[in-house]
Amino acid sequence: QVTLRESGPALVKPTRTLTLTCTFSGFSLSTSGMCVSWIRQPPGKALEWLALIDWDDDKYYSTSLKTRLTISKDTSKNQVVLTMTNMDPVDTATYYCARGQGGYPTRFDYWGQGALVTVSS
Amino acid sequence: QSVLTQPPSVSGAPGQRVTISCTGSSSNIGAGFDVHWYQQLPGTAPKLLIYGNTNRPSGVPDRFSGSKSGTSASLAITGLQAEDEADYYCQSYDSSLSGSVFGGGTKLTVL
């Protein structure tokens, strides 16, 4: 059974750095073709793809947010971490992690429940 | 503004058929990249509905079907049910952006 769960602060002050952790089970990120992605959704708005890391430690970032994002993995802990610097109120959103397989680009077949992050002073 | 364009809303009566379009360009759908569809029920995470343009994951009713032609794709829902009321998103890959892209989402209302 594949599960993913996002964790991190619910409230972040402007200009600070956000660190989110995706803890997953039911698959290994060391398996060829596996990947984990971060996707966010501002309240009432559409999904926005942020970043992806694959089994081979290749990393892909949204062009518009590339300078602010870092994605990394800890295969032994079954975790993927996303950091986003210089947070702004417009970054208020629910942040999801999701699994992909079969190599990138791919679809996202399992999603976490999401973590709402509010950026406010 | 999303790279993939979807109608903001569609509606239909129970039992009817509705379609949701997803229009891209030569750098994404038109370049041959697969289109995937997600259903997002209110207050929940998105769920994969169609992958690889036309394929249904296990457990997805065959009332849902996908198609792709040129720079566009479509999701069709037949035998509309009240439980289908949700937001629907298409997703693909864009070679100009070198990343995944989502449509702006379509809200389906079952009348």
Side-chain angles (χ1 to χ4, degrees), chain A:
Chain A
Q1 180 189 6
V2 173
T3 64
L4 302 98
R5 186 184 75 251
E6 306 86 353
S7 59
L11 182 64
V12 176
K13 294 185 185 303
T15 76
R16 299 288 180 90
T17 294
L18 169 68
T19 299
L20 291 170
T21 300
C22 176
T23 303
F24 56 87
S25 64
F27 68 97
S28 173
L29 202 39
S30 61
T31 300
S32 179
M34 288 295 176
C35 58
V36 171
S37 193
W38 285 94
I39 297 146
R40 72 178 179 180
Q41 184 174 36
K45 296 190 177 181
L47 300 168
E48 178 184 18
W49 177 77
L50 299 177
L52 180 144
I53 189 166
D54 71 13
W55 82 101
D56 206 24
D57 209 35
D58 289 323
K59 300 161 188 175
Y60 305 85
Y61 296 100
S62 163
T63 302
S64 60
L65 294 168
K66 187 173 187 175
T67 60
R68 299 174 53 205
L69 296 173
T70 302
I71 192 169
S72 62
K73 65 181 174 74
D74 186 329
T75 304
S76 64
K77 291 183 178 179
N78 281 351
Q79 290 182 333
V80 170
V81 174
L82 180 77
T83 63
M84 180 180 290
T85 61
N86 194 24
M87 292 293 285
D88 183 273
V90 300
D91 296 313
T92 294
T94 296
Y95 287 75
Y96 296 100
C97 62
R99 186 190 82 161
Q101 59 176 325
Y104 187 63
T106 186
R107 73 276 192 181
F108 306 114
D109 56 0
Y110 288 92
W111 294 60
Q113 62 186 15
L116 176 61
V117 177
T118 300
V119 184
S120 175
S121 54

Side-chain angles (χ1 to χ4, degrees), chain B residues 43-64:
Chain B
T44 69
K47 167 193 167 185
L48 181 64
L49 199 62
I50 297 288
Y51 68 94
N53 307 313
T54 61
N55 303 292
R56 285 187 309 276
S58 174
V60 173
D62 59 6
R63 301 186 297 105
F64 296 90

